[in-house]
Amino acid sequence: GAGVSQSPSNKVTEKGKDVELRCDPISGHTALYWYRQSLGQGLEFLIYFQGNSAPDKSGLPSDRFSAERTGGSVSTLTIQRTQQEDSAVYLCASSLASLAGTRGELFFGEGSRLTVL
Amino acid sequence: QKEVEQDPGPLSVPEGAIVSLNCTYSNSAFQYFMWYRQYSRKGPELLMYTYSSGNKEDGRFTAQVDKSSKYISLFIRDSQPSDSATYLCAMSRNYQLIWGAGTKLIIKP
């Protein structure tokens, strides 16, 4: 596709429910990132995928959060037993390679806005 | 204390003014410094990055890095209403970006 695509764009859920957020990166981009942006805050790193290497999950805030990337392309971020503090915009980005990411050459999707009631 | 500090604003200036946006940071190991623009309900888009200290210019935008002071700046010349957005600074630690909170900029026609 022309850009990074994320779905759903908005998700309202009840506390305790599970949610899945999807990211379709730019074709050919080997690196994929998930960030979280809370109101009035900078972006917070969650997880990084690079090719077939083991992902860097060091930013995941708790074991309720998990992510996978299938076939080196589409990624899904899953939040189990959602809590109100999980409410935020979840942003996915991709880059050509990790060096491009080091230079900040990331292409972001428009985000999935999650509201937990 | 946050690794990257950025005044959230809002900063309101008249059209045509020169805008100065700034960030300070605490980790001297940062080597790449970026500025992103984010419109409401959109993802951030990279404006420019700078490696180490120095200046970089791209059209109406100039980025400056002063590593001795741990201070970076973005200048916007001849500001336009379309420049109204939130501007985020970021710095890289390998592939992880460490972000400021963003400054909301309003350009008044």
Side-chain angles (χ1 to χ4, degrees), chain B residues 45-94:
Chain B
E45 57 175 327
L46 179 66
L47 289 173
M48 56 203 309
Y49 73 85
T50 308
Y51 176 73
S52 194
S53 284
N55 294 359
K56 188 173 185 178
E57 186 175 323
D58 184 0
R60 296 185 295 112
F61 298 88
T62 299
Q64 286 185 353
V65 175
D66 181 348
K67 292 194 72 178
S68 63
S69 301
K70 299 191 181 66
Y71 189 88
I72 69 170
S73 301
L74 178 71
F75 298 95
I76 307 174
R77 291 184 299 280
D78 188 24
S79 55
Q80 303 295 312
S82 59
D83 295 329
S84 297
T86 296
Y87 289 79
L88 300 114
C89 64
M91 300 156 201
S92 62
R93 180 164 53 220
N94 295 320

Side-chain angles (χ1 to χ4, degrees), chain A residues 27-104:
Chain A
S27 177
H29 281 192
T30 60
L32 186 147
Y33 315 75
W34 283 97
Y35 282 87
R36 178 168 70 174
Q37 186 174 30
S38 302
L39 191 64
Q41 304 294 316
L43 280 69
E44 173 190 8
F45 170 79
L46 296 177
I47 189 168
Y48 164 75
F49 297 90
Q50 170 57 47
N52 295 320
S53 302
D56 177 356
K57 304 179 182 180
S58 62
L60 295 178
S62 77
D63 59 8
R64 296 186 295 104
F65 288 72
S66 63
E68 63 177 17
R69 187 179 186 190
T70 54
S73 181
V74 172
S75 177
T76 302
L77 177 69
T78 301
I79 308 172
Q80 296 179 309
R81 304 182 302 282
T82 52
Q83 303 295 312
Q84 288 183 331
E85 61 262 28
D86 299 334
S87 296
V89 178
Y90 289 81
L91 290 160
C92 175
S94 68
S95 68
L96 267 176
S98 60
L99 179 58
T102 299
R103 296 192 295 256

